[in-house]
Amino acid sequence: MTTRQLDLTGLKCPLPALKTRKALSGIGPGDRLEVRCTDPLASIDIPNLVNETGDRLEATRRDGDHIIFVIKKAEAVPV
């Protein structure tokens, strides 16, 4: 299990959600993505994205002007 960092500071809506979606598609099941944003709308957009993709939002925290999300990629569903 690995954690990938994604720094999206300075980007405005809808770029943080779009880039997070792309990054999630590039990591494996069980891996984590730590996303750092400054756009206040990301606090709405990122949780909605995670809900839509079926992944899990493990943590959300603030560090000054930054909003940090830790997302765990969903496990692969057996077919």
Side-chain angles (χ1 to χ4, degrees), residues 2 12 14 28 30 38-39 44 46 50 59 72:
T2 62
K12 299 291 183 192
T38 51
D39 181 10
I44 298 167
I46 302 291
V50 172
K72 183 176 181 185

Side-chain angles (χ1 to χ4, degrees), residues 6-70:
L6 184 61
D7 186 359
L8 302 176
T9 56
L11 297 180
K12 299 291 183 192
C13 182
L15 289 177
L18 294 173
K19 290 187 177 282
T20 299
R21 180 185 297 274
K22 184 174 181 179
L24 282 169
S25 70
I27 64 173
D31 288 346
R32 287 181 174 79
L33 180 65
E34 184 177 292
V35 182
R36 180 177 289 262
C37 302
T38 51
D39 181 10
L41 291 177
S43 63
I44 298 167
D45 294 342
I46 302 291
N48 284 337
L49 168 68
V50 172
N51 190 36
E52 187 180 296
T53 62
D55 300 312
R56 190 171 84 213
L57 184 60
E58 292 194 323
T60 303
R61 66 183 187 277
R62 289 198 174 265
D63 181 13
D65 291 339
H66 293 94
I67 308 165
I68 302 162
F69 303 94
V70 178

